[in-house]
Amino acid sequence: PQSVIVMGNLGIRRSDPDFISTYVMNTALGRQYTSRLNMNLRADKGYTYGTGSFFSSRKGIGPFGCYAPVQTQFTKASIQEMLKELRDIVGPRPLTDTEVADSKNNLINKFPRKFEGIAGVSDEASDLVMFDLPDNSWDNYMENVRRITGEMASQAAKDHIHPEALLIVVVGDLKVIEKDIRDLKLGKIFYLDESGNPIE
């Protein structure tokens, strides 16, 4: 038995000049094995087999989110730990130089794989058109990643992650998790049935 937790807020446009620093920051938060979310919820606590975070690309402002399918009995604790990581990265525990360096190396090392096949080349070329990016975006990508500093990545977290204004969605066994979630006092709670219709 599991609960699936997703929480997030409005994020960033793909064409935003701040996108690369946000991408580096988010890699440290939830896009690699050594990310903060994964090391907390999976490696340390054992609540989940996988957790992560994302900034979804859009022409307009796309969503930011983080997610975790967790064991039902750890629903409340998982929400608390996810919120803690989001609050920490924008506040008392900004990214370290080591975390930023690891994230940049990860993105740079993975980059050539995006162009290994025709489908990959097509996907990357379509992004240039879809998001109205400069024609030389991929030529400059690795250098743009390298120039991101810890200060830039931490500022991106502050600018684009809003822990006190999140929409939190939990899919799980209502009878088991409702009281624990109410005890968190996170704000107004809405209920949906299995078809996504509101429950009065």
Side-chain angles (χ1 to χ4, degrees):
Q2 288 189 326
S3 297
V4 178
I5 304 164
V6 183
M7 59 179 70
N9 53 245
L10 291 177
I12 189 172
R13 288 179 172 82
R14 175 62 184 86
S15 57
D16 194 298
D18 204 24
F19 185 83
I20 297 295
S21 56
T22 303
Y23 206 46
V24 170
M25 174 276 295
N26 187 56
T27 300
L29 174 64
R31 290 197 74 246
Q32 57 188 4
Y33 184 82
T34 57
S35 68
R36 290 187 175 189
L37 284 168
N38 199 62
M39 295 306 290
N40 184 339
L41 272 73
R42 178 178 176 174
D44 182 34
K45 306 291 193 311
Y47 295 161
T48 179
Y49 284 114
T51 179
S53 60
F54 59 89
F55 280 84
S56 187
S57 296
R58 298 285 191 275
K59 281 187 174 182
I61 297 176
F64 158 73
C66 58
Y67 60 88
V70 303
Q71 299 174 60
T72 298
Q73 66 266 36
F74 298 128
T75 303
K76 178 181 178 181
S78 297
I79 293 172
Q80 290 173 311
E81 291 302 319
M82 293 168 77
L83 288 172
K84 174 184 178 296
E85 293 299 341
L86 297 182
R87 289 168 179 153
D88 279 357
I89 201 169
V90 303
R93 194 162 65 95
L95 293 173
T96 66
D97 290 340
T98 299
E99 286 178 302
V100 172
D102 288 347
S103 296
K104 292 195 294 186
N105 287 336
N106 181 301
L107 293 174
I108 289 168
N109 291 337
K110 283 182 175 178
F111 181 65
R113 295 181 218 162
K114 293 175 178 281
F115 303 91
E116 286 182 342
I118 295 298
V121 172
S122 174
D123 286 345
E124 298 308 315
S126 68
D127 280 0
L128 297 179
V129 177
M130 185 182 306
F131 303 121
D132 196 25
L133 302 176
D135 291 343
N136 63 353
S137 292
W138 302 140
D139 295 333
N140 299 331
Y141 174 82
M142 288 191 283
E143 184 53 41
N144 287 337
V145 170
R146 288 189 186 99
R147 72 178 180 81
I148 301 302
T149 65
E151 183 178 356
M152 293 166 69
S154 292
Q155 187 61 50
K158 293 176 183 178
D159 289 343
H160 303 297
I161 297 176
H162 308 294
E164 306 311 318
L166 297 167
L167 175 66
I168 303 172
V169 178
V170 184
V171 181
D173 188 333
L174 181 62
K175 296 187 295 295
V176 177
I177 65 177
E178 181 180 17
K179 181 181 183 304
D180 280 348
I181 291 176
R182 283 193 169 276
D183 287 346
L184 291 172
K185 301 185 185 306
L186 297 172
K188 189 170 183 180
I189 297 177
F190 299 86
Y191 298 86
L192 303 177
D193 64 20
E194 293 179 359
S195 299
N197 299 310
I199 300 174
E200 297 297 334

